[in-house]
Amino acid sequence: MSAAPALPQSDVDTHAISVFVNNQPGVLVRVALVFSRRGFNIESLVVSPGVEGRFSRMTITCTGRAEDLGQVVKQLAKLVDVVHAIDHTADQTYSVEIALIKLDCSLEDRTQILQIAEHYKARVVDFGREALILQAHGSSEKLDALIELLRPFSLVELVRSGKLLMARGESVT
């Protein structure tokens, strides 16, 4: 089996796909298999209940060419338990992500870390003698920038929620 040729970087985008599904056992596996069969890696996945308890909403981010992911979205829409699947990459949406960042924190670095946290409106949610945990929320780009600024310090652990997304205005998510 040969490896797929690398795509030109200009053709590759990060896509945010929402999938509205019946809240049934095994639905997540069937959705993940559609991505797997097409050779896409799911980069983040958030599943939450819809307004009505019998439905759930999945927000999936992955990277690839729009044409290829269009085929994935069409296949998702054909699954029995999928109500609808939408690629929101070109849509007007509001999105947010949450990150927890644990740092080893010496007294010498503490002031600088807290200044960076304040600039990004991150909260200190645990504060010890040698370590602290920051909680930050915002766009994925904002969190990427914060993490890059903190990387020179002793970054111990990082947990990100994945993108939460909702279509603006009258559009459906």
Side-chain angles (χ1 to χ4, degrees):
M1 187 164 153
S2 64
L7 297 172
Q9 203 59 29
S10 61
D11 293 344
V12 176
D13 290 319
T14 298
H15 294 262
I17 299 167
S18 68
V19 187
F20 197 62
V21 299
N22 289 319
N23 191 4
Q24 297 291 321
V27 173
L28 176 58
V29 171
R30 290 189 284 280
V31 167
L33 281 173
V34 170
F35 284 87
S36 176
R37 277 191 228 118
R38 289 277 177 170
F40 285 96
N41 182 38
I42 294 174
E43 295 175 7
S44 75
L45 169 68
V46 177
V47 182
S48 61
V51 173
E52 297 178 42
R54 62 188 181 117
F55 297 109
S56 292
R57 181 175 313 284
M58 299 179 184
T59 305
I60 301 167
T61 57
C62 62
T63 304
R65 291 187 327 184
E67 309 84 57
D68 298 332
L69 277 162
Q71 291 301 313
V72 169
V73 171
K74 287 178 184 173
Q75 287 186 351
L76 289 171
K78 291 179 183 175
L79 294 176
V80 171
D81 286 317
V82 171
V83 177
H84 64 258
I86 302 170
D87 184 350
H88 291 284
T89 305
D91 297 345
Q92 293 286 327
T93 60
Y94 175 76
S95 66
V96 67
E97 190 176 345
I98 299 171
L100 297 175
I101 307 161
K102 184 186 287 183
L103 298 136
D104 274 341
C105 188
S106 67
L107 287 176
E108 299 82 42
D109 293 336
R110 189 164 291 193
T111 301
Q112 195 172 359
I113 289 170
L114 293 175
Q115 287 174 340
I116 292 169
E118 183 179 330
H119 178 77
Y120 283 89
K121 298 186 177 13
R123 287 182 339 139
V124 176
V125 293
D126 186 61
F127 200 94
R129 291 175 56 98
E130 302 293 328
L132 61 85
I133 299 174
L134 298 175
Q135 175 186 318
H137 72 278
S139 69
S140 299
E141 295 78 17
K142 173 187 170 183
L143 296 182
D144 290 343
L146 171 62
I147 292 163
E148 283 309 309
L149 279 176
L150 293 173
R151 211 169 278 287
F153 302 98
S154 295
L155 220 149
V156 177
E157 287 184 72
L158 173 66
V159 179
R160 292 175 76 156
S161 66
K163 189 178 280 191
L164 300 171
L165 175 136
M166 184 168 279
R168 291 184 183 266
E170 306 276 323
S171 300
V172 176
T173 305

